[in-house]
Amino acid sequence: MGTEGIGPNGLGPAGLGAAAMGAAALPPRPAALLCVWLLLGSSWGPGPPGVGAVPRPTATYVLDAGSGLGRQFDGIGAVSGGGATSRLLVNYQEPYRSQILDYLFKPNFGASLHILKVEIGGDGQSTDGTEPSHMHYENDENYFRGYEWWLMKEAKKRNPQIKLIGLPWTFPAWIGKGENWPYDYPHVTAYYIISWILGAKQYHDLDIDYIGIWNERAFNSKYIKVLRQSLDRLGLRNIGIIAADGDWNISKEMVVDPYLNDAVQVVGAHYPGTKTVPNALLTQKKLWSSEDYSTFNDEVGAGCWARILNQNYVNGNMTSTIAWNLVASYYEDLPFGRCGLMTAQEPWSGHYKVEAPIWITAHTTQFTQPGWSYLQVDGHLEGGGSFVALTDGLGNLTIIIETMTHNHSQCIRPPLPHYNVSPQRATFYLRGSFYLVETLQVWYSRLDFESANSILFKQLQPLDVWRGSFSIDLDVDEVYTLTTLKTGRKCSCPEPPPPQPFPSNYKDDFNIRNPPFSEAPNFADQTGVFEYFINGSDPGDHVFTLRQVVVQRPITWVSDADQTISIIGNFHWVNLTVTCDIYIEKQDDGGVFIAGRVDNGGIYVRRTKGVFFWVYADGTYRVTGDLAGEEVLMKGLSGVRANAWHTLTLNIQGASASGLLNGYPLWENVTISKPSNGWAAIGTRSFEFAQFDNFHVEAS
C-alpha cells in the first residue's frame, strides 16, 4: 500500500502509493487486509479520505512518450523593463541585493528562471519610467548606461544557461529623423538594434539569444527582413527574431510571405488568454506568450500565474511564458504597483518580500529545462484545472498539476470566462519508458484565500508508483509537481530587514567620480533621462552633478510629457521642503523646476499634478499646480539666467507653499488645495540640457 505520510494540509494520514484500480491491478493480498485497504482508500492527496468520506469523481490519464512527443519546452522567464521596473533594485546594499538576485535566477533555489527579457532602453516612458538608450544621439554610443547590462550579467553569473532577450519599447528621436516612427528608415533602426547586440558582447561578454521588434506596436515586414539580413551578414544567424510582441496578427502575413516566415523564429503574443489562432499554428514556428501575467503579486496573482503556466501550453501550444515583470522594484504608487514575481522596492531599508509567484514558478522551473519536451496529452482535468507532463528524453518525467478556481486566478487581462473546478481524484497510468518509474518526488502548494495561510512549495513524502500507476486526490487552488528529479530546493534563508518608509531627511550631492550606475540612487525618471555628469569647466563647487540629457522628444511608446521629470521619495509625503541647486543650459527659453506632492508618473505622467516651482532663462518664475504648467498659481520676475548656478527651495506646509531663491524669499503664501500628498521631483521645461546638484528633501 505504500508509505504512510502526513497529507500536505497537515490534517492527517494520506495513503501514498498505488492507484485505486481494483483488485486485478494489485499484488496478492490477504482478503481482510485488501478490504481494509479499499475501505480506507488508496489515493495520495491532502485530505484523509477515511471512513465516510464522500467519494471523489475519478478520471484516468495516460502518459506515454512512445507515440511521439509534443512541442519542445523553451522555458519560463520574466521581463525587466517596459519600463524601469528594476530601477530600485540596483541601489540595494549587500547582502540583500544578491539575495534578491538568487531568488530570481539561481538554479534550484527560488524562481530559477530560464529566460531574462530586458528592455533596450530608448529614452522614453515605457510604463513605470524611462530607461536610457545606449545611443542618445546618432554619434553617441555608451554601453554602460542603465542597469540592464548589469542585471543580465548577474543572471548569467547565477545561471550560465539562461536565455537573454532584448526588446525596444521606445527609440531615440534620431532614428525617426523627425517622425514618431521607427520604420521609415529600416536600415537605421536595424543598425541601432544590432549596435546594442554587439555592445552587449564587446563590453559585457553577453550573448543575446533573441531580439524583438517593437513592443505592442505595429510591426513592419520590411524592417523584420532587413533586421534578419543584417544579423545574418554579421554572422549572428543564431540570434532569433521574436515577432511581433503584441497579438497573433503577424502570423496572417507569415503564412503567405515565406521570406517573412523565414525571418521570424518565434511568434510571440502578449496576454493571449491561453489561446492561440490557426494561422499561428500554420507558421510551424515556436509559439510563446512573450509577455503575460502583469497581475498584483498576492495569492490571486499567484493563481493567475499557476494557471497560465500550464494552460498556455494545454490550450495554446505555447512553449514559453514570460512574466511582466521580473521584480516589482519601482515605487509602488506608480502604475501596476507590485506586479512583479517578487517585491523589492525599499533599497533604503533592505526590505524585500519573496511573494507567492516565485514559488509557483519554481514548480515548473526547478524540475524542467529548455530542451525538454511536452508529452502529447490533452492536459485538461475532468474536474477542472490542468496538467502538463514533460520529459528530458532520458527517462526523467515531471508532471505539474494546477486546480486554480476562476475567482482565485484572474489575471489583469484578458477577461477570464467562467469555469468550475471541483475536488477530484486523478489516476495516472505511466506507459512505455515511464512504466519503470517507481517513485516520484512531490512538491506542493495550496493558495489559501480565507486565512492567508498559504502553503508554498512544500516538499512532501515521495509518492510510490505501483505497476505504472498512481492516484492523487486534488482539491481546489492547489499546485503539485510530481517528478523523478531530486533537485528541488526551497531556501530557508534569513529574513530581510523590516520595512521602513523612505528617509524623511534625504540628501544627495552626486559627488561620485566613478558611479557604478549612470543614474543617481532612488531617482525614478518619468520623462527624460537624468545621468551623473562631470562638469569639467566648473571651478569646483559643481564638478559632479546630475544632468538631464535627452534633448529631443523620443519615438514614444506612450504619451510622454512635454517636460522632463524625475521623482523621488515617499508618495505619502504631505509637508516637505525641497532644496536643489539648478543650472539652466538652454539660452532664452530654457527652464527647470523642483516640485513636491507629485501625484503621478509612468504612463500617466502627462496628467501629473503637484506643486511645481519653475525658473526660466528669461528671468521669470512660475508656480504651477501641474507638470504641464497650465494651472498657474503665482508668477513674476526672478532674475535667473542660463549658465549660472542658483539654489531653489520649495516649502509646502498644509495648504500653503512658499519659495526661496538663493536663500531669499521669492514668493509665499500660495494656497494649495490639491493634491494632498506625493513625491518630490526635479525636471526641465522641455527636452533640454540642465544640471542639478545638492538635492535635499526634508519631510514631516
Side-chain angles (χ1 to χ4, degrees), residues 27 56 148 151 158-159 167 207 211 314 358 499 524 687 691:
R56 295 169 183 255
E148 303 295 5
L151 186 61
R158 287 161 175 80
N159 177 10
L167 174 66
D207 293 305
I211 204 76
V314 171
I358 288 288
F687 290 96
Q691 295 177 58

Side-chain angles (χ1 to χ4, degrees), residues 525-549:
D525 304 345
Q526 301 302 309
T527 296
V529 171
F530 295 72
E531 296 180 350
Y532 281 117
F533 181 65
I534 298 178
N535 187 352
S537 62
D538 190 87
D541 290 341
H542 300 285
V543 174
F544 300 100
T545 67
L546 193 68
R547 192 188 198 200
Q548 200 295 119
V549 296

Side-chain angles (χ1 to χ4, degrees), residues 552-667:
Q552 289 180 287
R553 187 180 183 83
I555 296 174
T556 57
W557 184 71
V558 292
S559 190
D560 295 35
D562 295 323
Q563 308 76 18
T564 73
I565 178 173
S566 187
I567 62 171
I568 189 169
N570 188 334
F571 182 75
H572 301 288
W573 278 343
V574 176
N575 300 322
L576 66 160
T577 300
V578 183
T579 300
C580 191
D581 298 340
I582 60 93
Y583 186 91
I584 301 170
E585 296 188 47
K586 187 179 182 184
Q587 298 284 351
D588 301 326
D589 60 349
V592 303
F593 69 80
I594 62 173
R597 292 191 188 172
V598 174
D599 73 344
N600 247 316
I603 55 177
Y604 308 118
V605 65
R606 288 187 72 86
R607 67 174 74 162
T608 298
K609 306 291 186 182
V611 183
F612 293 82
F613 176 16
W614 308 76
V615 291
Y616 305 107
D618 65 2
T620 64
Y621 77 90
R622 286 193 177 195
V623 183
T624 69
D626 58 342
L627 176 62
E630 296 173 351
E631 183 186 346
V632 179
L633 306 176
M634 177 78 80
K635 62 181 179 178
L637 298 176
S638 68
V640 169
R641 293 289 185 266
N643 301 314
W645 282 98
H646 301 276
T647 301
L648 303 184
T649 301
L650 171 64
N651 183 30
I652 306 172
Q653 299 293 325
S656 180
S658 60
L660 283 71
L661 174 64
N662 299 325
Y664 295 96
L666 182 63
W667 54 273

Side-chain angles (χ1 to χ4, degrees), residues 7 71 73 83 88 179 183 196 260 280 295 344 359 387 455 578 642 659:
R71 292 188 172 225
F73 175 64
L88 298 174
E179 298 296 326
Y183 297 141
W196 184 86
L260 178 61
T295 303
W359 302 117
F387 73 93
I455 298 170
V578 183

Side-chain angles (χ1 to χ4, degrees), residues 389-406:
L390 302 98
T391 182
D392 62 355
L394 302 173
N396 283 308
L397 174 68
T398 292
I399 306 163
I400 304 114
I401 303 169
E402 61 81 22
T403 57
M404 294 300 119
T405 54
H406 177 273

Side-chain angles (χ1 to χ4, degrees), residues 175-218:
I175 287 175
K177 298 187 178 181
E179 298 296 326
N180 195 41
W181 192 246
Y183 297 141
D184 288 342
Y185 306 94
H187 287 88
V188 173
T189 306
Y191 163 74
Y192 171 77
I193 295 298
I194 290 174
S195 296
W196 184 86
I197 295 171
L198 295 176
K201 181 64 175 176
Q202 179 178 349
Y203 294 98
H204 303 285
D205 197 27
L206 292 168
D207 293 305
I208 304 302
D209 297 286
Y210 295 94
I211 204 76
I213 306 305
W214 188 12
N215 183 75
E216 294 174 357
R217 296 296 179 261

Side-chain angles (χ1 to χ4, degrees), residues 14-299:
L16 296 178
M21 295 163 48
L26 302 171
R29 295 172 180 263
L33 181 59
L34 178 59
C35 290
V36 172
W37 181 82
L38 290 172
L39 176 66
L40 292 178
S42 64
S43 71
W44 187 98
V51 179
V54 177
R56 295 169 183 255
T58 301
T60 59
Y61 310 93
V62 177
L63 303 181
D64 187 358
S67 59
L69 297 171
R71 292 188 172 225
Q72 186 179 93
F73 175 64
D74 294 310
I76 306 303
V79 183
S80 172
T85 53
S86 306
R87 175 67 195 90
L88 298 174
L89 173 62
V90 298
N91 303 132
Y92 270 79
Q93 299 299 306
E94 296 295 351
Y96 311 118
R97 190 171 73 176
S98 288
Q99 291 171 3
I100 296 164
L101 293 166
D102 286 348
Y103 277 115
L104 295 169
F105 301 120
K106 189 176 180 179
N108 300 310
F109 187 85
S112 306
L113 292 169
H114 303 132
I115 297 169
L116 172 60
K117 180 176 182 178
V118 304
E119 177 176 352
I120 300 174
D123 295 338
Q125 171 61 244
S126 52
T127 297
D128 286 293
T130 66
E131 298 202 25
S133 171
H134 59 289
M135 298 178 74
H136 293 315
Y137 329 109
E138 192 167 4
N139 59 351
D140 161 71
E141 290 184 68
N142 184 327
Y143 298 94
F144 295 91
R145 294 187 183 120
Y147 40 83
E148 303 295 5
W149 313 106
W150 166 83
L151 186 61
M152 287 188 284
K153 287 188 289 187
E154 292 293 327
K156 277 285 187 182
K157 186 188 302 181
R158 287 161 175 80
N159 177 10
Q161 305 306 314
I162 197 168
K163 301 295 183 183
L164 300 177
I165 304 173
L167 174 66
W169 270 249
T170 71
F171 300 85
W174 62 269
I175 287 175
K177 298 187 178 181
E179 298 296 326
N180 195 41
W181 192 246
Y183 297 141
D184 288 342
Y185 306 94
H187 287 88
V188 173
T189 306
Y191 163 74
Y192 171 77
I193 295 298
I194 290 174
S195 296
W196 184 86
I197 295 171
L198 295 176
K201 181 64 175 176
Q202 179 178 349
Y203 294 98
H204 303 285
D205 197 27
L206 292 168
D207 293 305
I208 304 302
D209 297 286
Y210 295 94
I211 204 76
I213 306 305
W214 188 12
N215 183 75
E216 294 174 357
R217 296 296 179 261
F219 67 89
N220 180 281
S221 298
K222 181 179 180 180
Y223 167 66
I224 293 172
K225 295 171 189 176
V226 167
L227 180 60
R228 179 75 270 162
Q229 292 163 1
S230 301
L231 289 166
D232 291 350
R233 274 198 305 269
L234 290 168
L236 301 173
R237 294 177 181 83
N238 58 313
I239 297 179
I241 291 179
I242 303 174
D245 279 308
D247 54 31
W248 295 111
N249 283 341
I250 192 173
S251 62
K252 295 178 184 177
E253 290 197 25
M254 290 174 65
V255 296
V256 297
D257 184 343
Y259 295 102
L260 178 61
N261 202 61
D262 287 345
V264 174
Q265 282 63 57
V266 177
V267 183
H270 288 192
Y271 309 96
T274 77
K275 304 293 176 60
T276 187
V277 297
N279 279 330
L281 295 168
L282 289 174
T283 65
Q284 298 185 335
K285 298 291 184 178
K286 293 175 180 290
L287 308 181
W288 288 8
S289 178
S290 53
E291 184 178 314
D292 219 325
Y293 176 64
S294 292
T295 303
F296 192 79
N297 58 22
D298 58 5
E299 267 69 12

Side-chain angles (χ1 to χ4, degrees), residues 63-74 313 364 367-377 388-400 430-435 437 440 482-485:
L63 303 181
D64 187 358
S67 59
L69 297 171
R71 292 188 172 225
Q72 186 179 93
F73 175 64
D74 294 310
Y313 184 75
T364 298
F367 310 104
T368 60
Q369 288 298 325
W372 285 42
S373 294
Y374 287 97
L375 300 190
Q376 290 191 41
V377 290
V388 292
L390 302 98
T391 182
D392 62 355
L394 302 173
N396 283 308
L397 174 68
T398 292
I399 306 163
I400 304 114
L430 308 185
R431 295 290 182 255
S433 60
F434 303 131
Y435 183 79
V437 172
L440 292 170
L482 313 174
T483 181
T484 56
L485 298 182

